[in-house]
Amino acid sequence: MRRPTIADIAERVGVSKGAVSFALNGRPGVGEATRARILQVAKEMNWRPHSAARALGGARAEAVGLVIARPASTLGVEPFFAQLLSGLQAGLSARSVALHLLIVEDAEAEMEVYREWASAHRVDGFVMVDLKVRDPRIEVLEELGAPAVVLGGPGRHGSLSSVWADDREAMLSVLEYLAALGHRRIAHVAGLPAFRHTQRRIRALRDSARRLELVDAVSVPTDFSDAEGAAATRTLLSRPRRPTAIVYDSDVMALAGLGVAGEMGVRVPDEVSIVAFDDSVLTRIAHPSITALSRDTFAFGRQLAEVMLQVIDEPGLRRDVKTATPRLVVRESTAAPGAWQDD
Amino acid sequence: MRRPTIADIAERVGVSKGAVSFALNGRPGVGEATRARILQVAKEMNWRPHSAARALGGARAEAVGLVIARPASTLGVEPFFAQLLSGLQAGLSARSVALHLLIVEDAEAEMEVYREWASAHRVDGFVMVDLKVRDPRIEVLEELGAPAVVLGGPGRHGSLSSVWADDREAMLSVLEYLAALGHRRIAHVAGLPAFRHTQRRIRALRDSARRLELVDAVSVPTDFSDAEGAAATRTLLSRPRRPTAIVYDSDVMALAGLGVAGEMGVRVPDEVSIVAFDDSVLTRIAHPSITALSRDTFAFGRQLAEVMLQVIDEPGLRRDVKTATPRLVVRESTAAPGAWQDD
DNA sequence: TCCCGCAACTAGAACGCTTTAGTACCCAAG
DNA sequence: CTTGGGTACTAAAGCGTTCTAGTTGCGGGA
């Protein structure tokens, strides 16, 4: 048999569709007795709302959109991303809001999908990740007027809300720790330079070079892949005056770097110290275990969900949430540089 | 201004809504010249389809549902799951199909969501994971008549399609390898006994005990968490006649087990060999690296997507795809048992 | 010349729900 | 006894699209 509609219920109870709609949505305009009868019949007939029909009328979609312009494989490879996703889902599912996920080729396609989903009321809001320098997606989301939360910041995300961590401060804490150990030649294997947080880390290194008396403070950009992380490490360690410490923008790259050091016979931490942005099981079980900037990524994702839900509830709202700054967890991969390395 | 509808376009071009609909969907029933004009105007007015309205008419939702009854944290912790998810996404996004993802408390809630999404045309089909013994979800999906693909098998998934790996054969390959090395006391730290694939592995061990002359072949059930994996390992290694080899049902548990062995001063692989079902970066970088059953999980997810799309295209279809059996990758965690361990 | 068939197009119902405007009724105040 | 206002409801108009059942006009064969 066909799925029951409110018209069927109305007919059976002997009232109008309107009355049924009121009753089912707990709205005034229908007596208690009638309401009870309607609810009863609806249950008997096993009725369920048809979200598409509701959406046509402009109701909530009970879903949040996440469009990612990255190769799909990163989803599974980067612990950071996987953790973030699960935190996000955890936060959303507490309110039975689904995550509408799509991976696309590039930012162009991503914006097109924003337009489609927004104009079709397919989702109630968007979570935007991988904030770039002068990101055109911001404008699109603003123009669409859809609730949106940007992962990353602060600043430069227009009227959109955001959730961010202080990358600058985190980078400084690493540099100060390394400088205190006596390191003066510190290299930075950065992520994609187009990302705002990458820029912020690069700038933090450059800015503190003088204060910390670093004689060499270079940032090498990569695409965040383990391959480029390994290549950058190889280049750095092949220099006549190689760095005594390398800071990696992700745990995956740090691990790759550690592997390269092993291959090249450069001992860690005796000859080179290694620090990773982002902590995960990878840094913990590596051998030697890797000193890393640790944060609760799952909680980060949950905060993202929380802000998203708030912004959906109150469309005018603009929140700007700074999450806890990642703190350094010292493990076996860092030590004072050997004496022979001093200038 | 209001978002443009086909009625607006129709008015502007001076044709009926029907004609516009035909033109926009590349259907016959409208002349070339008119079609071109309609497309032109639609572009000018920046028109976009409204999926909710389409869904009302019974069109595709261009989304696949995935409902998971697990704690959200597993999503990020289990490399297998993360990889699978990205493979699935990769396969779907090639056809611009989104993944509608929701995490729920339990199987009851999961089935309720199936009903809701199906009756609301919210998704075109479902991917079901974590197939259990006598799984009630199968019936629900069959009854709903929604296209669905089950991860796991073979058999016992009724009329639904499935994608599966041969767990039995995989387990046998591990056991034969260990037996060939000389192991006779082999323990198995299993996953959730409610899962079909867990059962299959347990049975494989039991069945081959006699043939391989195992004097001790016990399976210890766990919930797949690293905590229970560690606990089970502790119990096993505390026995007066402890096993000389332990097979773990996941890489996460194997890693936990390796940690416990370290704590207890039991040397790996000299005193106990360790094998993991599921390969990932975890097993590769552990110290010692862990012998594991390896498969291309990303490809597995992509196959899942492929079958899903096929079943959506051809609702009557029932496919049963066996994926490549995981093959054993021998690393440092396995060796012949020490002589003193022989009976 | 007439009719047939086909392509091009129109009108409007249908999809399931929400919402608004309106109606019927009752009770209380004047 | 009338009026005013509140409650309980009904009828029907959307929401944006697709689909079905026409209608028109035109070219070609008898």
Side-chain angles (χ1 to χ4, degrees):
Chain A
M1 207 200 66
R2 228 182 65 268
R3 75 193 299 279
T5 72
I6 54 166
D8 300 328
I9 301 178
E11 194 187 356
R12 183 125 144 216
V13 176
V15 294
S16 70
K17 287 192 304 171
V20 175
S21 177
F22 288 147
L24 291 172
N25 293 294
R27 222 177 289 260
V30 67
E32 266 323 305
T34 321
R35 179 187 305 265
R37 224 147 42 88
I38 291 173
L39 259 45
Q40 166 71 16
V41 171
K43 194 166 194 176
E44 272 171 25
M45 300 182 78
N46 202 22
W47 175 88
R48 272 155 225 290
H50 191 300
S51 67
R54 281 191 163 156
L56 246 195
R60 290 270 171 83
E62 299 299 335
V64 166
L66 176 56
V67 187
I68 310 172
R70 286 199 196 186
S73 55
T74 39
L75 261 187
V77 172
E78 282 219 28
F80 172 79
F81 211 80
Q83 284 282 358
L84 186 78
L85 211 61
S86 33
L88 182 58
Q89 244 305 301
L92 294 177
S93 63
R95 290 246 310 254
S96 289
V97 172
L99 189 65
H100 207 67
L101 185 66
L102 186 63
I103 290 178
V104 295
E105 280 293 313
D106 50 36
E108 281 307 315
E110 184 175 338
M111 293 186 283
E112 184 56 25
V113 173
Y114 285 157
R115 286 187 222 274
E116 274 176 24
W117 289 3
S119 76
H121 282 296
R122 227 193 155 96
V123 296
D124 302 319
F126 292 97
V127 171
M128 190 186 116
V129 298
D130 295 342
L131 178 63
K132 306 220 185 63
V133 181
R134 272 219 289 283
D135 203 312
R137 296 173 299 166
I138 298 281
E139 248 180 81
V140 171
L141 285 174
E142 283 179 328
E143 180 196 318
L144 289 172
V149 180
V150 173
L151 177 65
R156 301 307 159 103
H157 41 78
S159 59
L160 307 181
S161 291
S162 77
V163 175
W164 54 284
D166 195 333
D167 280 286
R168 180 181 177 83
E169 202 179 311
M171 185 57 149
L172 292 181
S173 74
V174 171
L175 297 175
E176 265 152 31
Y177 161 71
L178 290 174
L181 281 180
H183 291 277
R184 290 294 172 269
R185 285 203 302 278
I186 301 179
H188 172 209
V189 175
L192 274 171
F195 287 172
R196 277 200 80 78
H197 68 264
T198 303
Q199 286 300 330
R200 212 164 252 123
R201 295 174 190 180
I202 291 177
R203 204 164 314 133
L205 173 60
R206 210 181 48 210
D207 292 352
S208 53
R210 171 188 297 238
R211 186 168 52 86
L212 299 177
E213 296 169 12
L214 307 182
V215 299
D216 201 2
V218 62
S219 287
V220 185
T222 71
D223 65 355
F224 271 117
S225 72
D226 54 347
E228 291 206 4
T233 308
R234 217 165 276 126
T235 309
L236 287 169
L237 294 184
S238 307
R239 291 190 176 181
R241 310 208 109 190
R242 66 181 181 221
T244 61
I246 306 180
V247 181
Y248 293 84
D249 261 5
S250 80
D251 48 354
V252 174
M253 290 201 294
L255 194 63
L258 186 61
V260 168
E263 274 168 28
M264 296 178 67
V266 179
R267 283 167 299 141
V268 176
D270 308 314
E271 298 179 68
V272 66
S273 285
I274 282 181
V275 181
F277 255 86
D278 289 338
D279 196 14
S280 75
V281 63
L282 299 185
T283 50
R284 255 170 279 142
I285 68 172
H287 202 83
S289 58
I290 303 175
T291 296
L293 276 166
S294 176
R295 66 174 146 191
D296 189 341
T297 312
F298 187 81
F300 193 39
R302 226 168 28 199
Q303 256 179 313
L304 202 55
E306 199 184 300
V307 174
M308 181 81 257
L309 292 173
Q310 279 181 10
V311 176
I312 288 174
D313 280 340
E314 214 174 315
L317 196 67
R318 180 186 191 280
R319 289 202 58 189
D320 222 333
V321 177
K322 179 185 169 185
T323 62
T325 299
R327 57 175 215 302
L328 196 67
V329 176
V330 176
R331 299 211 179 84
E332 302 163 356
S333 70
T334 44
W340 57 274
Q341 288 170 321
D342 284 327
D343 276 39
Chain B
M1 205 200 68
R2 226 182 66 269
R3 75 193 298 279
T5 72
I6 54 166
D8 300 328
I9 301 177
E11 194 187 356
R12 183 123 143 217
V13 177
V15 294
S16 70
K17 289 190 303 169
V20 175
S21 179
F22 287 147
L24 291 172
N25 292 293
R27 227 177 287 258
V30 68
E32 266 324 304
T34 319
R35 179 186 304 265
R37 227 150 38 90
I38 289 173
L39 258 45
Q40 166 71 16
V41 170
K43 194 166 194 176
E44 271 172 25
M45 299 183 79
N46 202 24
W47 173 89
R48 271 157 227 288
H50 191 301
S51 67
R54 279 191 165 155
L56 241 197
R60 291 272 171 81
E62 300 299 336
V64 165
L66 176 56
V67 187
I68 310 172
R70 286 200 196 184
S73 55
T74 38
L75 262 186
V77 172
E78 283 219 27
F80 172 78
F81 211 80
Q83 284 283 356
L84 185 79
L85 210 61
S86 33
L88 182 59
Q89 244 306 300
L92 294 176
S93 63
R95 289 246 308 255
S96 289
V97 172
L99 189 65
H100 206 68
L101 185 66
L102 185 64
I103 291 179
V104 294
E105 280 293 311
D106 49 37
E108 280 308 313
E110 184 175 337
M111 293 186 284
E112 183 56 24
V113 172
Y114 285 158
R115 286 187 222 274
E116 273 175 26
W117 289 4
S119 75
H121 282 297
R122 225 190 157 96
V123 296
D124 301 320
F126 292 96
V127 171
M128 191 186 115
V129 297
D130 294 342
L131 179 63
K132 305 220 185 62
V133 181
R134 270 221 289 284
D135 203 312
R137 296 174 300 168
I138 298 280
E139 249 181 79
V140 172
L141 286 174
E142 282 180 327
E143 179 196 318
L144 289 172
V149 180
V150 173
L151 176 66
R156 302 306 159 104
H157 41 80
S159 60
L160 307 181
S161 291
S162 77
V163 175
W164 54 284
D166 195 334
D167 280 286
R168 179 181 178 83
E169 203 179 309
M171 185 57 150
L172 292 180
S173 74
V174 172
L175 297 175
E176 266 152 32
Y177 161 70
L178 290 174
L181 282 180
H183 291 276
R184 291 295 172 268
R185 284 203 304 279
I186 302 179
H188 172 211
V189 174
L192 273 170
F195 287 171
R196 278 200 81 78
H197 67 264
T198 303
Q199 287 299 330
R200 211 163 254 124
R201 294 174 191 180
I202 291 177
R203 204 164 314 133
L205 173 59
R206 211 180 48 209
D207 291 354
S208 52
R210 171 187 298 239
R211 186 168 51 85
L212 299 178
E213 295 168 13
L214 306 183
V215 298
D216 201 4
V218 61
S219 287
V220 186
T222 70
D223 64 355
F224 271 117
S225 72
D226 54 347
E228 291 207 5
T233 308
R234 216 165 276 128
T235 309
L236 287 169
L237 294 184
S238 306
R239 291 189 176 182
R241 310 207 110 187
R242 65 181 182 222
T244 61
I246 306 180
V247 181
Y248 293 84
D249 261 5
S250 81
D251 48 354
V252 173
M253 291 200 295
L255 194 63
L258 186 61
V260 168
E263 273 168 30
M264 296 178 68
V266 178
R267 280 168 301 141
V268 177
D270 308 312
E271 299 179 68
V272 65
S273 285
I274 281 180
V275 181
F277 255 85
D278 289 337
D279 197 14
S280 75
V281 64
L282 299 185
T283 51
R284 256 169 278 142
I285 67 172
H287 202 84
S289 59
I290 302 175
T291 295
L293 277 166
S294 177
R295 65 174 147 192
D296 189 341
T297 312
F298 187 82
F300 194 39
R302 225 169 27 201
Q303 257 179 311
L304 203 54
E306 199 183 301
V307 174
M308 180 82 255
L309 292 173
Q310 279 183 8
V311 176
I312 289 174
D313 279 342
E314 213 174 316
L317 197 66
R318 180 186 191 281
R319 288 203 59 192
D320 223 331
V321 177
K322 179 185 169 183
T323 61
T325 299
R327 58 175 215 302
L328 196 67
V329 175
V330 176
R331 300 211 178 84
E332 303 162 356
S333 69
T334 45
W340 58 274
Q341 290 171 318
D342 284 328
D343 277 37

